[in-house]
Amino acid sequence: MVIPQVVSRQRVADHGEVYTHPREVNAMLDLVRHETERIESRFLEPACGTGNFLVEIVARKLAVVKAKYAKTQLEYERYAAIAIGSVYGIELLADNVLACQQRLFLLFDQQYTQLYEARCKQACRETIRFILRRNILQGDALTLTTVAEPTEPIVFSEWSVINDGLIRRRDFKFAHLINRADSHSLLLFSGSGEETCLREPVKEYMPICLFALATQE
């Protein structure tokens, strides 16, 4: 689905909303191709709109997941969840947030259905939806707060696979994550796993099975 670059003149006037053309999106992402094709590499789009950048990043990551793990459904499901969980978006407009979440979900679900047909698990789909609700948020990247509650900080979840195949979730304030980051970088939780260990999570969760992840709502 191709999103037009301008939805309406009013939205341009009110919010400066102009979407980047796929040609430019891909040209920019090609500059960091090695990161876009690394499953665990995390990206943030601080004004994500309906997800033009995030959709292309996820498409590249899912191609890698398919190539490496498609022969084993559980491994595919686990690493597809990590790939989806590696992209983050902030957007002022509620309709754009929902559209971005839906585009990313459909990208996953089309590949998942094509690969496994009747063996697809509804619990896996619910997990992906849950991750997207945690990662694509309505907020203001300048004030670092949510739109619904302007005094509430934006909080993102970090997702990782631990040794026994369970999924670990840790929540971090966005403001804390960018204190040491390059303000021009799309990378979030940048660097190795040790880098985020230097930052204090606001909440840590017990490792849990992929298919039970949505119970941590």
Side-chain angles (χ1 to χ4, degrees):
M1 177 175 60
V2 177
I3 304 295
Q5 288 186 269
V6 173
V7 175
S8 73
R9 292 182 180 179
Q10 191 61 50
R11 286 169 72 111
V12 174
D14 291 345
H15 306 289
E17 181 185 69
V18 179
Y19 297 129
T20 309
H21 190 279
R23 178 181 59 250
E24 281 72 40
V25 168
N26 281 288
M28 293 170 70
L29 293 178
D30 283 345
L31 298 174
V32 289
R33 181 184 294 275
H34 62 292
E35 291 293 342
T36 65
E37 295 175 352
R38 195 161 64 86
I39 296 169
E40 299 87 356
S41 184
R42 299 180 177 96
F43 286 82
L44 165 72
E45 171 54 91
C48 68
T50 59
N52 284 8
F53 276 95
L54 300 182
V55 164
E56 182 56 37
I57 292 168
V58 168
R60 295 179 184 209
K61 287 172 175 285
L62 287 180
V64 175
V65 173
K66 179 180 177 181
K68 287 187 174 182
Y69 300 110
K71 290 182 180 179
T72 305
Q73 183 174 343
L74 181 59
E75 288 291 285
Y76 172 87
E77 291 164 337
R78 185 176 294 139
Y79 284 97
I82 294 301
I84 296 286
S86 74
V87 297
Y88 299 82
I90 301 170
E91 169 59 33
L92 279 172
L93 302 179
D95 59 339
N96 283 349
V97 172
L98 293 175
C100 182
Q101 292 172 351
Q102 184 66 2
R103 289 179 73 191
L104 293 171
F105 175 78
L106 289 175
L107 190 62
F108 159 77
D109 195 49
Q110 288 168 359
Q111 185 180 91
Y112 186 47
T113 302
Q114 181 183 48
L115 286 172
Y116 303 111
E117 299 177 341
R119 290 176 291 154
C120 292
K121 303 182 184 75
Q122 190 59 30
C124 182
R125 292 186 171 111
E126 290 306 315
T127 290
I128 298 300
R129 289 190 185 277
F130 172 70
I131 290 172
L132 288 170
R133 288 196 299 272
R134 292 290 317 145
N135 283 29
I136 311 300
L137 302 178
Q138 187 182 12
D140 187 330
L142 297 178
T143 64
L144 312 180
T145 59
T146 67
V147 169
E149 298 288 342
T151 60
E152 289 296 312
I154 293 171
V155 175
F156 282 124
S157 296
E158 176 197 52
W159 317 92
S160 57
V161 177
I162 60 176
N163 292 336
D164 53 5
L166 299 179
I167 304 296
R168 183 180 70 172
R169 171 186 169 189
R170 300 191 299 165
D171 290 353
F172 294 84
K173 287 184 180 180
F174 178 46
H176 293 171
L177 293 172
I178 62 173
N179 280 347
R180 305 181 200 182
D182 177 354
S183 61
H184 300 292
S185 177
L186 280 173
L187 294 175
L188 185 67
F189 304 102
S190 58
S192 64
E194 289 78 7
E195 178 69 17
T196 49
C197 289
L198 298 175
R199 298 162 178 147
E200 189 70 24
V202 296
K203 189 169 184 179
E204 293 190 62
Y205 296 80
M206 291 292 293
I208 195 169
C209 169
L210 171 69
F211 306 120
L213 200 61
T215 63
Q216 292 183 336
E217 185 78 68

